[in-house]
Amino acid sequence: MLRTLTAASRNAQRNNRNLLFFRTLATAGPTIPETQKAIIFYEQGGPLEYKDIPVQKPGPNDILVNIKYTGVCNSDYHAWKGDWAFKPILPLVLGHEGAGVVVAKGENVTNFEIGDYAGVKWLNSTCQSCDFCQEAHESSCPNQKNSGYTVQGTYQQYAIADAVQAAHIPKDVDLAKVAPLLCAGITVYKALKNANIRAGDWVTIIGAGGGLGSLAVQYAKAMGFTILGIDGTNKKEHALKLGCDEFIDYNAVNDIPEEVLKVTKGGPHAVINVSNSVKAYNEAIQYVRPTGTVVLVGLPKGGATLSSDIFSHVLRAINIKGSVVGNRADTREALEFFRKGKVESNVKVVGLSQAPEVFKLMEKGEILGRYVLDTSK
Ligand code: NAD
Ligand code: ZN
């Protein structure tokens, strides 16, 4: 009896020691360097410098994420140029599609562990207490902080996010492929939900071959919609391969509203515009089906306006709806489509130092899908 007890207590002691060892590891986490590689710029449109900058320390509610891959969104381009109505902080590290591993966390964080996969999104933090946050419209929170705009973003090896807003990424996915979902994927999935249409209905996606568009086509397909994609000549094959039922080349067609009405037999039930084209927005209002919805997603330069003929707008009972990123539930759902293989993320991976070249390709409209930056190069 005595011998059994002694063996049991020895076992308990060993277990306690193991537990203590693992606890110490978890609290300490991996070694975090003082400095790291980043792309940073100091004035709007100025040189995008690839250099060493200090690693930030997470606050009590934050996680520090070792960013492995970060997507290049057209919003980053606008942030760099400073051509929207509200301006970013300077100097600025761009980026809001960062996928990586949690390496440190603040003392109040209970929903992430060191070693978890996490995503740093456009919504870096929200207040959780305003009317909008209370009703899960977090992207309208007046106190929100935005990655790569009002706080430093993900074109760096270590980025901070509020643990409540950071995305939980399952361990079984490819971090390079998941990166674009953290803005482009969530945004188009939410826009399609906001379109309020049913399986089988027509949805027109303007900008179908770009970063948001390539994902929009696939989410729309997975949700059972019939898709008319619109984009340039160089995007046709790509957009059709992704799942467009029909495609209109905006370079080759003179009267786009007429062509859309013909293809969709009376106009699409919804239009999602993910391009920067103001002309395309104004055309969408003309051809959307009566009772249908035009969802505004693309963000042209500041000062752009829509013009709708009131008589026609009222009699056709059309809806015009703005849609900006998505909330935490949209994030979870959008990532789940990807994990289950219902959408594929077609990415081209290049080194972080090549961000300026990616912007040049973006300027020329030559990108099919999304470029992703590998922060180790
Ligand atoms: P992108 O450059 O990858 O894609 C834009 C696509 O639009 C390109 O394929 C381009 O060829 C196409 N296009 C241009 N003019 C067109 C026209 N007249 N007709 C049809 N297609 C046309 O850019 P992206 O990263 O997909 O971002 C698209 C836009 O969405 C940007 O304005 C960005 O700022 C905005 N955005 C908004 C939200 C939001 O929450 N509302 C989120 C992310 C990005
Ligand atoms: Zn974005």
Side-chain angles (χ1 to χ4, degrees), residues 277-311:
S277 170
V278 182
K279 178 173 173 280
Y281 265 129
N282 284 296
E283 289 167 346
I285 295 170
Q286 294 169 39
Y287 63 64
V288 68
R289 189 176 293 245
T291 74
T293 304
V294 179
V295 186
L296 321 183
V297 179
L299 288 159
K301 286 181 190 172
T305 55
L306 275 177
S307 171
S308 184
D309 177 88
I310 296 173
F311 188 80

Side-chain angles (χ1 to χ4, degrees), residues 62-358:
D62 298 333
I63 54 173
L64 180 68
V65 182
N66 176 202
I67 301 292
K68 302 290 186 192
Y69 299 95
T70 181
V72 180
C73 180
N74 191 249
S75 300
D76 300 335
Y77 182 84
H78 288 288
W80 172 48
K81 290 286 180 187
D83 63 15
W84 284 338
F86 101 101
K87 304 294 173 201
I89 57 165
L90 289 173
L92 182 65
V93 174
L94 295 165
H96 54 271
E97 289 185 347
V101 182
V102 178
V103 290
K105 59 179 202 166
E107 69 216 45
N108 299 337
V109 175
T110 54
N111 63 336
F112 277 100
E113 296 303 331
I114 309 294
D116 283 354
Y117 280 2
V120 180
K121 308 175 293 148
W122 173 251
L123 289 185
N124 190 282
S125 69
T126 52
C127 75
Q128 310 303 341
S129 54
C130 68
D131 290 357
F132 303 102
C133 282
Q134 282 184 37
E135 299 196 3
H137 299 305
E138 301 145 35
S139 43
S140 297
C141 170
N143 308 310
Q144 67 186 271
K145 297 255 165 37
N146 303 120
S147 309
Y149 213 86
T150 56
V151 293
Q152 303 303 338
T154 55
Y155 287 20
Q156 55 180 338
Q157 292 174 313
Y158 293 87
I160 283 174
D162 181 288
V164 172
Q165 272 303 337
H168 289 269
I169 299 176
K171 267 280 168 69
D172 54 352
V173 301
D174 177 345
L175 285 175
K177 288 188 171 213
V178 93
L181 301 179
L182 296 165
C183 170
I186 297 165
T187 301
V188 299
Y189 172 63
K190 176 66 161 198
L192 286 161
K193 280 170 85 175
N194 275 334
N196 208 12
I197 52 177
R198 290 179 292 211
D201 285 354
W202 275 104
V203 60
T204 293
I205 296 166
I206 307 171
L212 268 65
S214 297
L215 284 164
V217 170
Q218 296 179 73
Y219 278 102
K221 197 89 198 159
M223 292 159 99
F225 306 141
T226 313
I227 307 155
L228 164 61
I230 306 183
D231 209 315
T233 320
N234 57 342
K235 313 274 168 103
K236 180 175 180 176
E237 198 189 319
H238 171 74
L240 284 169
K241 210 158 85 192
L242 290 175
C244 288
D245 296 280
E246 298 284 348
F247 184 86
I248 293 175
D249 175 351
Y250 78 89
N251 299 128
V253 171
N254 267 338
D255 192 335
I256 289 177
E258 187 184 80
E259 189 66 15
V260 175
L261 287 168
K262 200 163 81 194
V263 172
T264 58
K265 300 181 179 60
H269 301 81
V271 186
I272 314 280
N273 184 14
V274 291
S275 82
N276 282 321
S277 170
V278 182
K279 178 173 173 280
Y281 265 129
N282 284 296
E283 289 167 346
I285 295 170
Q286 294 169 39
Y287 63 64
V288 68
R289 189 176 293 245
T291 74
T293 304
V294 179
V295 186
L296 321 183
V297 179
L299 288 159
K301 286 181 190 172
T305 55
L306 275 177
S307 171
S308 184
D309 177 88
I310 296 173
F311 188 80
S312 163
H313 195 134
V314 173
L315 264 71
R316 291 188 301 134
I318 61 168
N319 309 289
I320 298 180
K321 189 161 184 20
S323 188
V324 57
V325 291
N327 64 21
R328 286 172 290 159
D330 301 317
T331 302
R332 189 191 61 229
E333 291 165 21
L335 290 177
E336 202 50 20
F337 270 73
F338 172 69
R339 201 185 63 77
K340 287 184 178 154
K342 292 180 190 295
V343 300
E344 180 51 65
S345 170
N346 298 298
V347 294
K348 185 148 175 45
V349 181
V350 297
L352 178 64
S353 60
Q354 286 178 265
E357 283 81 52
V358 178

